[in-house]
Amino acid sequence: MVPLLEFPGVEYVRSWSLTLSHGVTPSVALVEIAPQFDMPAEVGTLTLTFGDVVLTFPGCALDRATVRRDRAGMIVSLAILDRRWAWRFGQITGRYNLRDERGQLLPETEKSPRELATMLCAALGETAADVSLLPDDARPTVAWVYANPAEELARLAAGLGCTVVLGLAGAVSLQPVGTGNPLPVTGTERTRNFGIDPPTRPDSLLVVCGPTRYETTFRLEAVGQEPTGEIVPLNELSYAPASGWENEAWLGFANIADPQARAKARQTVYRWYRLKCTAPANTPGEFHIAGYAGSVNDVWQLLPLAATRLLTCTDADGTPRAEPPELSGRFWDRSLDGQNIPSQRRYPGAFRIDRNRGLVQFAEPVLQVNPAAAAGFLPAELYLTIAHGVLEAATHVADCYTSERAFPGEPRGTGPAVLPRPDLARTVRTTYDTGNTPIGVVENTADLEAEVAAQLDAAQALYETRLTDFVEYAGLVPISPDGAITQVQWSATERGAVTRASRNSEFSLVAGMSRVSACTVEP
Amino acid sequence: MSTAYTPFDNQPWTEFVNNNAASVPAYGVLRATGVSVIEPGRVVVTADMPQTFGCQAQCLINSPVAVAAGQMGYATRTGVLVALYDAADGTPAFGQAWGPRAGSWKLKRNTGGFFMLGATNTTLGLALVTPLPMLTLRGKTLSGGLAKGTTGTITIYAGPLGSETDTGQTMAGVYNRYANAGSNKWVTCGWNFESQGWELIDLEC
């Protein structure tokens, strides 16, 4: 029997070899032919024939042709790519599994991994792809903007412990790494090598989510700015009236003699407030952040503040949007009876938040009538409810939710393999009673843990110790790659055909391997 | 203050210096006496305690902050104003005339200067008023009468039409350019914008 390789326009084949591998980059058939006058086709079906065995690979493309001269004469070498050559091209656009400020999935963006994979395969023209083995519980955030579908498919599969497989039947499938058929026993085996492939694994896996977002109610304190720029509490201002601010004419601070200081007073006094402490405390610097195990000793650990709360509301256009920060308190709302509002309520006027400095800046003075005197004013009693992160006191790094899973067995002192998941974030919203006292928290931890567990499962699968197998068969053996069978090579010369296949290992570097680093998902 | 959400912060408040020896209470009425250039580029109104019955354009209402003697504050007379009234004169009612009198920072009843809209806080003695310059007043001549071409003092009467009573207040410097006015005769005085003073414009024969 003479092994045959056929490709449109290729004649006088002397030898060939095709290695089929996992991934999204095309495998390569290396073909040596005698010189010929006609040009081979650019694209066509590659057929391997050996007796009754016929393997067809439609959609292959001629990649290159080179000529060399040796003692046998002129030899032309061809490189023919399987149909995955076309996967270099194409695009896909879409953002899915987005999460709101609470860390909750936005339902209208939800896509399961299988749905995402199906979309990607469709973008590649692989409408019959089998994605049924892809774990389907996770909801990885994807942001495809004219992205290459093949790269995104590989990334998605790797993140879930799977790999892209082009099977012998021509079907594309996503299969769990390490899971698949044994190499067949045909009686034509020439050599066989068994072994194990213990991974160089870390002691543990550590999923690191994006910065944790908290929502807390803070008590504010009135501050002013020195002409030098420093921001300090009102009574510490260098231009504070000797008798205090209580009876100072706050409409313009006319009794501050220095024009620079007077200008600063007009700009900032009773108009600027900053985070003083968490409610209901009243001691400057006393911060208790529910859900944060560390200590917050100063306000810088809470900055910059977020622009919103951890609540969402649905706009008229149906779009869920984060609610703006809430500012409430007790103040004089310019009531014509000269009285403060009777109880805490939301501040109705305009304000802006200087998120980097933790300042609330008002368009007009905000203050309260001194309830203990017939006249005079005091700073308003204000509370700001807003989302924020926490910077660790020692490292100055944002606090993030992490989940570590140790591998069984004796630790090797390697430390963990870090798996970043910036698309996931823990959210902790503190709830309060009407007296600004915390009464509970609302967290997304349960949802987060499920997502993280799926990530850990996928990553852990990559570090399993697997039995490796390599078999060389006489003749062409139709072996289809799967999650475990990583490479199959068919080759032939005038002396006959050989099939080589490996399980959980790779023996050829000729095939264009595509390994996307596992477990990374773009936010 | 254009972004303020209440009219209060959009009112044009004018800086003044309190030249009286006493503190101007919050929302008190005060009397403008002129202007003072404190330094180049900084001009304030000088103000003092009212010293006449009623007012025309010279009275201002202090801001919600008391202003000690010699100190500066902010006052206004535009729009609807919260002003301090004298609770000893009763609770203000809509339509009444309230205004300054000599020796007090509080608005007094049956006095010109402001149109009363109503009380807003009877405990603190606060009421809502709008400026309404007093351009006429009624009264009676003193026992000596008021001869043509002379100035004299008038006893001021105020109250419901036809039932006016003696306020106990007098207006000095009233000029009579018409016929001699007899003793204890009803007179109506008008505000002379040129001389910024009072003169008889009608008198009982």
Side-chain angles (χ1 to χ4, degrees):
Chain A
M1 285 185 290
V2 178
L4 295 177
L5 179 145
E6 296 173 280
F7 186 75
V10 172
E11 304 170 13
Y12 315 122
V13 176
R14 297 179 58 178
S15 65
W16 52 266
S17 137
L18 168 61
T19 305
L20 198 57
S21 294
H22 286 177
V24 296
T25 52
S27 294
V28 184
L30 299 176
V31 184
E32 290 190 343
I33 63 175
Q36 61 181 51
F37 288 108
D38 297 329
M39 287 293 292
E42 291 184 8
V43 176
T45 298
L46 179 73
T47 305
L48 307 181
T49 306
F50 187 72
D52 296 337
V53 178
V54 179
L55 308 176
T56 58
F57 301 89
C60 292
L62 180 63
D63 184 44
R64 65 180 184 274
T66 58
V67 180
R68 78 170 193 275
R69 179 192 294 272
D70 62 13
R71 282 175 293 182
M74 301 283 283
I75 296 175
V76 178
S77 296
L78 305 177
I80 300 173
L81 307 179
D82 74 24
R83 74 169 191 263
R84 285 174 287 185
W85 67 268
W87 292 8
R88 295 175 189 159
F89 309 109
Q91 63 84 25
I92 189 166
T93 294
R95 298 171 68 223
Y96 301 103
N97 294 332
L98 304 180
R99 288 170 169 79
D100 63 17
E101 296 297 320
R102 301 167 297 169
Q104 302 294 320
L105 265 183
L106 296 176
E108 65 273 20
T109 70
E110 182 175 4
K111 296 284 184 191
S112 72
R114 292 175 191 169
E115 289 175 314
L116 294 173
T118 300
M119 294 168 65
L120 291 164
C121 290
L124 294 170
E126 303 290 346
T127 53
D130 179 6
V131 300
S132 61
L133 295 179
L134 193 65
D136 212 31
D137 294 332
R139 292 294 180 269
T141 300
V142 295
W144 304 326
V145 181
Y146 296 97
N148 176 262
E151 291 178 6
E152 296 301 331
L153 184 64
R155 195 189 311 277
L156 176 69
L160 295 165
C162 290
T163 187
V164 181
V165 175
L166 176 61
L168 260 196
V172 172
S173 60
L174 301 181
Q175 303 204 19
V177 173
T179 302
N181 296 314
L183 294 176
V185 176
T186 63
T188 61
E189 293 87 344
R190 289 165 48 171
T191 62
R192 182 156 205 161
N193 299 323
F194 295 98
I196 59 168
D197 181 17
T200 50
R201 66 165 175 79
D203 287 343
S204 61
L205 299 170
L206 181 68
V207 172
V208 180
C209 297
T212 300
R213 295 194 294 271
Y214 301 89
E215 181 186 291
T216 308
T217 297
F218 298 95
R219 184 191 290 268
L220 303 181
E221 66 175 342
V223 293
Q225 190 174 37
E226 297 282 5
T228 57
E230 186 183 4
I231 297 170
V232 298
L234 292 191
N235 290 334
E236 297 176 19
L237 285 165
S238 61
Y239 51 83
S243 57
W245 292 99
E246 189 173 331
N247 288 303
E248 179 52 42
W250 49 263
L251 281 160
F253 301 99
N255 297 299
I256 297 175
D258 176 54
Q260 300 289 339
R262 189 166 62 246
K264 278 298 177 189
R266 287 176 174 173
Q267 180 189 352
T268 63
V269 173
Y270 295 132
R271 293 173 187 256
W272 285 15
Y273 286 77
R274 74 177 176 192
L275 304 190
K276 178 181 183 182
C277 54
T278 46
N282 201 10
T283 304
E286 184 178 339
F287 295 104
H288 302 287
I289 308 300
Y292 178 62
S295 61
V296 176
N297 305 316
D298 207 338
V299 70
W300 66 262
Q301 288 182 256
L302 306 171
L303 304 178
L305 299 173
T308 63
R309 297 185 61 185
L310 295 184
L311 292 173
T312 58
C313 56
T314 303
D315 266 356
D317 62 1
T319 304
R321 300 189 195 284
E323 289 190 13
E326 179 177 313
L327 185 66
S328 62
R330 297 180 180 86
F331 46 89
W332 178 52
D333 69 348
R334 311 302 197 256
S335 168
L336 298 175
D337 61 0
Q339 299 290 288
N340 297 321
I341 58 173
S343 60
Q344 181 173 325
R345 70 171 64 146
R346 187 174 290 204
Y347 179 72
F351 64 91
R352 66 179 294 273
I353 296 176
D354 182 336
R355 298 191 293 129
N356 289 322
R357 293 191 288 185
L359 287 174
V360 178
Q361 298 169 320
F362 294 98
E364 60 278 309
V366 177
L367 62 179
Q368 60 176 323
V369 178
N370 186 353
F377 286 84
L378 300 172
E381 180 183 339
L382 294 173
Y383 300 92
L384 176 69
T385 302
I386 194 168
H388 60 91
V390 175
L391 299 178
E392 302 275 1
T395 63
H396 301 76
V397 170
D399 165 56
C400 298
Y401 177 83
T402 61
S403 181
E404 187 167 11
R405 179 185 292 178
F407 282 104
E410 281 295 311
R412 301 166 184 174
T414 66
V418 176
L419 311 172
R421 281 299 301 268
D423 60 314
L424 300 177
R426 179 184 178 218
T427 62
V428 185
R429 180 170 63 87
T430 305
T431 57
Y432 297 83
D433 63 14
T434 55
N436 306 304
T437 300
I439 55 175
V441 294
V442 178
E443 297 189 58
N444 70 337
T445 310
D447 294 339
L448 191 64
E449 286 173 346
E451 197 72 24
V452 168
Q455 177 73 76
L456 288 169
D457 290 343
Q460 188 172 353
L462 299 176
Y463 288 101
E464 287 182 0
T465 298
R466 298 190 179 93
L467 294 176
T468 62
D469 197 359
F470 170 80
V471 179
E472 182 176 297
Y473 302 88
L476 290 192
V477 180
I479 302 173
S480 183
D482 58 21
I485 299 175
T486 46
Q487 284 187 325
V488 182
Q489 183 185 70
W490 299 275
S491 60
T493 64
E494 62 272 14
R495 292 192 296 274
V498 173
T499 299
R500 297 182 181 89
S502 66
R503 196 169 187 277
N504 296 324
S505 63
E506 294 162 355
F507 60 87
S508 173
L509 300 178
V510 172
M513 298 302 295
S514 174
R515 281 296 173 96
V516 175
S517 57
C519 313
T520 59
V521 178
E522 295 299 321
Chain B
M1 294 186 175
S2 59
T3 58
Y5 73 97
T6 67
F8 178 92
D9 292 289
N10 290 321
Q11 284 184 326
W13 294 93
T14 302
E15 201 171 320
F16 75 92
V17 59
N18 175 19
N19 284 338
N20 192 271
S23 176
V24 185
Y27 304 109
V29 62
L30 49 91
R31 172 176 57 92
T33 60
V35 297
S36 173
V37 180
I38 297 177
E39 59 188 1
R42 191 175 184 200
V43 179
V44 301
V45 171
T46 55
D48 209 329
M49 184 179 281
Q51 63 177 13
T52 61
F53 181 94
C55 70
Q56 290 73 45
Q58 74 276 36
C59 50
L60 306 171
I61 299 296
N62 185 26
S63 77
V65 183
V67 179
Q71 294 292 295
M72 282 181 281
Y74 296 87
T76 185
R77 63 172 281 114
T78 59
V80 176
L81 306 167
V82 178
L84 189 64
Y85 70 86
D86 191 345
D89 289 351
T91 300
F94 177 83
Q96 293 174 341
W98 288 68
R101 292 187 184 180
S104 174
W105 302 110
K106 298 178 179 178
L107 296 182
K108 304 285 288 183
R109 188 177 179 181
N110 290 329
T111 310
F114 294 92
F115 179 88
M116 178 57 66
L117 295 173
T120 62
N121 188 325
T122 55
T123 304
L124 296 178
L126 299 180
L128 214 54
V129 299
T130 58
L132 182 62
M134 186 179 76
L135 300 178
T136 63
L137 65 81
R138 278 182 304 279
K140 288 186 178 181
T141 56
L142 300 180
S143 57
L146 184 58
K148 174 182 171 66
T150 66
T151 59
T153 299
I154 298 298
T155 300
I156 300 170
Y157 279 65
L161 206 59
S163 303
E164 295 89 346
T165 57
D166 188 349
T167 63
Q169 301 286 306
T170 60
M171 182 62 71
V174 177
Y175 180 70
N176 180 8
R177 71 174 72 241
Y178 301 115
N180 292 335
S183 171
N184 204 30
K185 292 293 186 182
W186 284 105
V187 296
T188 300
C189 304
W191 183 254
N192 185 312
F193 69 93
E194 293 165 293
S195 65
Q196 292 292 297
W198 295 100
E199 67 172 283
L200 294 188
I201 57 174
D202 201 0
L203 66 162
E204 181 184 9
C205 297

